[in-house]
């Protein structure tokens, strides 16, 4: 079981910077595109860390690992970064599936658009964390990431924004390690359908309100 996230903080540059931490009651199967703990494997926690828009470290995985160590997060986990203030996380539940999203849509881009110039400094990351209360097979886990991404893109389209996502979005899906194995994670499958609805609702709700980058709030 993945517990509800706990809001905490760390001090960097003399400022208190927010963090969201999900802890599991035991090991969970996971698939993630996060810079720390990405891929498919067993994970025990998830960390979503706010960073300033000026963030330019070339070792995000090492940075996240250090943050996890400071929080005494044991074992393997997933680490995510965002310019969004993670206190604005949006949670939605559907048929036992739980989804959380921190939504920054300042730089929406079509996935197959021609390469653009330098990105603006508007906050633009959507981080999605999902817990499915049933064991998913590896192909179903991968399919669940696609389903979450489709649901995110549907929400962005409904918000009238010209893009399918942002250049730095990340998705993490977790499920139990035990129990009967579900073979499918697509949007019309038993668990993919509520996953899609929960993610869509979370991203839509997060995108409907203006999001100011955390670092801009310090100077605005």
């Amino acid at each position: 079981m993945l517990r509800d996230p706990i809001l905490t903080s760390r001090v960097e540059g003399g400022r208190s910077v927010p963090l969201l931490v999900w802890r599991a009651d035991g090991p969970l199967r996971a698939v993630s595109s996060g810079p720390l703990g990405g891929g498919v494997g067993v994970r025990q926690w998830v960390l979503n860390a706010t960073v300033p828009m000026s963030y330019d470290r070339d070792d995000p995985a090492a940075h996240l690992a250090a943050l996890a160590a400071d929080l005494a997060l044991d074992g393997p986990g997933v680490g995510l970064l965002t310019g969004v203030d993670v206190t604005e996380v949006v949670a939605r539940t559907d048929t036992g599936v739980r989804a959380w999203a921190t939504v920054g849509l300042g730089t929406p881009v079509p996935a197959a658009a021609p390469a653009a110039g330098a990105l603006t400094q508007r906050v633009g990351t959507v981080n999605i964390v999902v817990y499915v209360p049933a064991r998913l097979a590896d192909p179903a886990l991968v399919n669940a990431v696609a389903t979450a991404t489709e649901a995110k893109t549907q929400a962005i389209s409904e918000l009238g924004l010209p893009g399918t996502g942002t250049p730095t979005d990340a998705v993490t899906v977790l499920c139990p390690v035990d129990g009967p194995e579900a073979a499918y994670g697509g949007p019309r499958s038993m668990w993919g359908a509520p996953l899609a609805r929960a993610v869509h609702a979370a991203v839509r709700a997060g995108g409907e309100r203006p999001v100011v980058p955390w670092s801009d709030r310090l100077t605005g």
Side-chain angles (χ1 to χ4, degrees):
M1 181 72 170
L2 188 67
R3 304 177 198 171
D4 288 331
I6 295 172
L7 179 65
T8 184
S9 64
R10 85 271 188 188
V11 175
E12 287 187 4
R15 295 169 174 166
S16 179
V17 191
L19 299 161
L20 273 181
V21 181
W22 291 258
R23 287 181 170 88
D25 291 330
L28 296 173
R29 286 171 48 76
V31 60
S32 178
S33 60
L36 176 66
V40 178
V42 174
R43 307 288 184 261
Q44 296 180 206
W45 48 265
V46 179
L47 172 64
N48 192 9
T50 293
V51 293
M53 293 301 293
S54 59
Y55 187 84
D56 61 356
R57 290 185 58 153
D58 59 4
D59 61 344
H63 183 201
L64 284 161
L67 294 178
D70 289 342
L71 293 167
L73 295 173
D74 297 325
V78 172
L80 311 171
L81 296 169
T82 179
V84 175
D85 185 339
V86 295
T87 63
E88 296 188 349
V89 64
V90 178
R92 293 292 185 270
T93 301
D94 192 302
T95 320
V97 174
R98 295 189 291 158
W100 298 267
T102 50
V103 183
L105 291 169
T107 54
V109 295
L119 293 175
T120 64
Q121 284 296 302
R122 293 174 296 165
V123 62
T125 297
V126 180
N127 282 342
I128 297 168
V129 176
V130 180
Y131 175 74
V132 177
R135 182 184 179 190
L136 302 178
D138 281 356
L141 274 174
V142 175
N143 206 353
V145 171
T147 297
T149 303
E150 290 177 21
K152 174 196 71 178
T153 299
Q154 179 184 341
I156 292 171
S157 175
E158 292 171 358
L159 290 166
L161 298 174
T164 55
T166 87
T168 53
D169 294 351
V171 179
T172 300
V173 180
L174 305 104
C175 68
V177 297
D178 299 317
E181 194 171 72
Y184 306 108
R188 292 298 176 265
S189 66
M190 178 177 179
W191 294 110
L195 181 154
R197 293 191 296 265
V199 169
H200 171 265
V203 175
R204 177 70 185 261
E208 285 176 339
R209 60 193 186 193
V211 176
V212 177
W214 172 83
S215 49
D216 284 5
R217 295 178 180 181
L218 302 177
T219 58

